[in-house]
Amino acid sequence: MSIYLALVEPGNETTAYGIAFPDLPGVHSAAEEADDILPNALEALQLWAEDEDMPLPSDMAAIINRDDIREALATGSFLLAVPFTGGYRNEAIRFQHR
């Protein structure tokens, strides 16, 4: 299992929560309710993994040290750990290289 960090932009009465993955540019999702953030983030990872190779996730320190992430965190966004257990197209190859 890998843990990917999602950057969550808080929603309000008129906008949904925004979900983005610093390790996966272009992978985004949204959630109308807070309870839907994790399931929607996981679905976004699964959909990405159907067509693309999943890179190894960065550790938290590397992500937090990014200027864009620090700026987002300072304005109310937060990080969410999203567990990902599969969906690698090249899982057997990745296992051999570990």
Side-chain angles (χ1 to χ4, degrees):
M1 175 175 63
S2 296
I3 303 292
Y4 289 87
L5 292 175
L7 181 67
V8 181
E9 182 180 319
N12 58 38
E13 297 82 32
T14 59
T15 62
Y17 293 89
I19 305 165
F21 289 88
D23 283 330
L24 303 166
V27 179
H28 302 278
S29 189
E32 293 294 327
E33 303 290 330
D35 289 344
D36 294 327
I37 295 170
L38 183 58
N40 292 3
L42 183 55
E43 179 182 36
L45 285 180
Q46 291 168 336
L47 290 171
W48 174 267
E50 287 178 7
D51 297 323
E52 301 291 337
D53 289 329
M54 295 293 287
L56 293 175
S58 299
D59 64 21
M60 185 176 286
I63 289 178
I64 290 175
N65 284 327
R66 289 178 40 176
D67 290 338
D68 60 329
I69 302 299
R70 284 192 290 185
E71 183 179 317
L73 294 174
T75 60
S77 294
F78 59 93
L79 292 171
L80 175 70
V82 181
F84 185 70
T85 59
Y88 295 108
R89 287 191 307 145
N90 297 324
E91 191 165 359
I93 294 170
R94 289 177 187 276
F95 180 77
Q96 291 172 357
H97 290 285
R98 288 187 183 166

